[in-house]
């Protein structure tokens, strides 16, 4: 028999699957194959202490199976932390389908995938992610009820962006309270980079509160439209965003925007935005931004309104309840800053500790009966 310790000692090349799972204690991985439809998928379940694992399905042309497995393991773990920090009774899971979503996806493949999701009997609940759209969810839903984040016309909760944006706004107010002792954003110079579904809703909250908002988006048409609608100023020189005179930087487009170069240039007091995975390298740049004296509100807490919205879809959707839960993001953000200061650790690490504590605490409750 192979002992776990032996597996840990040997290389990942020799033991690429279970050994990888032991690194972050993943519970289960389901490998799915179907020659007829061409489906090749991996469903990774990181942790189900708090509840069923939930996370989207991503379709991507991975270069090899290891890359796909690594992505599924990384993303599913991220979902565990996001849901736990948001105080939800959800675990973390994620699925990846290996292939090109533009050329290889079809109804039969998606329905076959739905069958695999169903075979887990609710231990994994899927949703949309990169390369998988509403139409695909419709196909998956034909084969399983373990689907969430559906549009309104499919009986779902619809676009989560207003709830996400509200959470970002509250996190920003909590960050302001931490920095200036007062959570008003009135008069603060705020740069919002990316004014898509979340960014636009965020800008509306900020303008209403009297902030001086500047916006940028690579989509020129959208940029002009949102500027006209909200009265926000358009940033003319996007290359200079990180050098701008601002109080708060809100990244609401892509990930990995906080790197050695950009952190070096930023002159703001707070970074708080919706984009996922903002720190290019969590350990390096989480520490660097702390040492620069910039308050960084951890992305997966800031943008947890989206997962909160999806969670309430599982309960029989009610937007007011979802919004009420999203309000807790304010206090969670303040708690993160408190732990960060008390333990002298970067804020992303403090957020991880909050998530780990909830899993440990609730784990004890479950073990007592
Ligand atoms: P979206 O696609 O609607 O908007 C993204 C916007 O960013 C687009 O308008 C795009 O043109 C713009 N953009 C892309 N690259 C840019 C660049 N380099 N500079 C400036 N603008 C750029 O996406 P969204 O739903 O608004 O989500 C925004 C971010 O928040 C994403 O990172 C997403 O993963 C994250 N997020 C969203 C939700 C949600 O509820 N929608 C929940 C959690 C996290």
């Amino acid at each position: 028999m192979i002992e776990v310790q032996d597996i840990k000692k040997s290389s990942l090349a020799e033991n690429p699957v279970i050994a990888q799972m032991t690194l972050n204690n993943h519970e289960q991985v389901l490998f799915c194959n179907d020659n007829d439809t061409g489906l090749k998928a991996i469903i990774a379940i990181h942790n189900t202490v708090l509840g069923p694992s939930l996370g989207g399905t991503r379709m991507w042309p991975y270069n090899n199976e290891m890359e796909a497995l690594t992505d599924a393991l990384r993303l599913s773990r991220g979902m565990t932390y996001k849901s736990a920090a948001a105080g939800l009774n959800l675990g973390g899971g994620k699925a990846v389908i290996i292939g090109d979503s533009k050329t290889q996806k079809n109804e039969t493949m998606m329905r076959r995938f739905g069958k695999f999701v169903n075979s887990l009997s609710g231990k994994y609940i899927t949703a949309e992610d990169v390369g998988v759209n509403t139409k695909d969810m419709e196909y998956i839903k034909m084969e399983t009820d373990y689907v969430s984040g559906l549009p309104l016309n499919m009986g779902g909760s619809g676009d989560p962006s207003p709830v996400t944006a509200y959470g970002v706004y509250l996190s920003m107010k909590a960050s302001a309270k931490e920095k200036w002792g007062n959570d008003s954003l009135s008069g603060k110079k705020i740069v919002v980079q990316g004014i898509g579904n979340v960014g636009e809703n965020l800008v509306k909250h900020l303008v209403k509160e009297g902030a001086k908002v500047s916006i940028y988006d690579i989509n020129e048409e959208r940029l002009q439209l949102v500027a006209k609608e909200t009265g926000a100023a358009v940033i003319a020189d996007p290359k200079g965003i990180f050098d701008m005179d601002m109080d708060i930087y809100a990244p609401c487009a892509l990930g990995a925007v906080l790197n050695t170069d950009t952190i070096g240039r930023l002159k703001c007091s707070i970074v708080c935005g919706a984009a996922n995975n903002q720190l290019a390298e969590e350990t390096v740049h989480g520490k660097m931004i702390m040492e620069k004296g910039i308050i960084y509100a951890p992305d997966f807490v800031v943008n947890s309104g989206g997962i909160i919205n999806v969670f309430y879809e599982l309960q029989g959707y009610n937007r007011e309840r979802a919004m009420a839960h999203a309000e807790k993001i304010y206090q969670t953000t303040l708690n993160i800053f408190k732990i960060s200061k008390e333990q002298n650790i970067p804020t992303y690490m403090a957020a991880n500790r909050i998530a780990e504590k909830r899993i440990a605490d609730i784990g004890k409750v479950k073990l007592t009966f």
Side-chain angles (χ1 to χ4, degrees):
M1 197 175 87
I2 304 172
E3 295 293 337
V4 170
Q5 287 308 318
D6 296 332
I7 292 174
K8 276 186 175 166
K9 269 185 243 155
S10 61
S11 75
L12 284 178
E14 289 168 291
N15 297 293
V17 183
I18 302 175
Q20 272 227 67
M21 290 170 71
T22 63
L23 296 177
N24 287 300
N25 204 11
H26 279 76
E27 282 179 22
Q28 189 176 355
V29 174
L30 180 69
F31 292 90
C32 316
N33 174 64
D34 185 65
N35 287 359
D36 290 337
T37 59
L39 175 73
K40 294 195 180 353
I42 301 171
I43 301 175
I45 296 171
H46 175 245
N47 187 293
T48 56
V49 168
L50 296 177
S53 68
L54 193 149
T57 296
R58 176 170 294 192
M59 184 160 182
W60 194 254
Y62 294 99
N63 290 316
N64 55 59
E65 290 170 14
M66 275 308 286
E67 212 179 274
L69 176 64
T70 303
D71 213 24
L73 294 176
R74 181 180 67 85
L75 294 167
S76 59
R77 179 169 178 263
M79 291 309 297
T80 298
Y81 279 80
K82 182 180 275 211
S83 287
L88 298 171
N89 289 323
L90 283 178
K94 199 87 184 182
V96 299
I97 298 177
I98 301 170
D100 186 339
S101 64
K102 293 191 188 80
T103 56
Q104 287 169 275
K105 210 170 54 174
N106 55 45
E107 177 180 349
T108 48
M109 178 190 275
M110 286 298 127
R111 290 182 65 169
R112 187 69 188 89
F113 176 69
K115 288 264 188 217
F116 279 112
V117 172
N118 205 49
S119 74
L120 288 164
S121 307
K123 195 171 183 184
Y124 168 67
I125 301 169
T126 197
E128 273 183 45
D129 199 82
V130 178
V132 174
N133 58 32
T134 307
K135 191 75 201 159
D136 303 321
M137 297 315 289
E138 214 171 296
Y139 295 139
I140 294 171
K141 175 91 176 116
M142 286 174 192
E143 308 298 337
T144 183
D145 282 334
Y146 302 119
V147 178
S148 195
L150 294 170
L152 292 173
N153 62 9
M154 285 169 64
S157 54
D159 179 12
S161 306
V163 185
T164 304
Y166 184 53
V168 179
Y169 166 66
L170 293 176
S171 228
M172 205 179 270
K173 284 180 78 63
S175 305
K177 187 165 174 60
E178 177 70 15
K179 186 74 194 176
W180 298 298
N182 176 334
D183 74 5
S184 171
L185 298 172
S186 178
K188 299 292 180 217
K189 285 173 272 180
I190 304 175
V191 167
V192 182
Q193 185 181 26
I195 37 148
N197 294 319
V198 178
E200 181 182 1
N201 281 296
L202 173 65
V203 169
K204 286 179 183 161
H205 285 294
L206 300 178
V207 168
K208 198 170 161 203
E209 188 158 330
K212 292 180 187 155
V213 185
S214 301
I215 57 176
Y216 177 68
D217 198 291
I218 48 169
N219 182 336
E220 179 66 24
E221 201 182 312
R222 190 168 176 94
L223 180 62
Q224 296 303 336
L225 195 78
V226 175
K228 200 169 155 210
E229 256 178 34
T230 61
V234 168
I235 294 171
D237 170 26
K239 286 203 186 100
I241 281 190
F242 297 101
D243 308 303
M244 282 176 68
D245 170 27
M246 58 176 144
D247 297 305
I248 302 173
Y249 167 56
C252 294
L254 306 173
V257 283
L258 300 172
N259 54 43
T260 305
D261 170 49
T262 58
I263 294 172
R265 287 160 62 194
L266 277 173
K267 292 186 214 43
C268 60
S269 301
I270 293 167
V271 173
C272 177
N276 276 313
N277 306 317
Q278 291 167 29
L279 297 166
E281 272 182 73
E282 208 170 56
T283 45
V284 177
H285 300 113
K287 189 160 176 271
M288 188 180 281
I289 202 161
M290 177 174 89
E291 285 170 353
K292 200 168 172 190
I294 295 175
I295 291 188
Y296 168 65
D299 47 16
F300 70 90
V301 173
V302 173
N303 68 23
S304 59
I307 189 80
I308 289 170
N309 199 55
V310 161
F311 175 76
Y312 281 94
E313 182 174 323
L314 301 173
Q315 317 271 309
Y317 189 64
N318 176 326
R319 182 147 286 202
E320 275 170 27
R321 287 183 67 206
M323 283 293 202
H325 193 125
E327 270 170 27
K328 295 181 185 169
I329 294 174
Y330 182 93
Q331 193 54 50
T332 305
T333 307
L334 286 178
N335 289 347
I336 288 166
F337 297 146
K338 187 164 173 275
I339 293 170
S340 163
K341 271 192 302 199
E342 281 172 1
Q343 301 184 18
N344 194 26
I345 53 172
T347 51
Y348 82 85
M349 207 183 272
N352 284 352
R353 298 222 170 138
I354 285 181
E356 284 158 6
K357 182 170 186 316
R358 177 167 165 80
I359 294 167
D361 288 351
I362 303 300
K364 282 181 212 139
V365 173
K366 290 202 169 163
L367 285 173
T368 55
F369 86 96

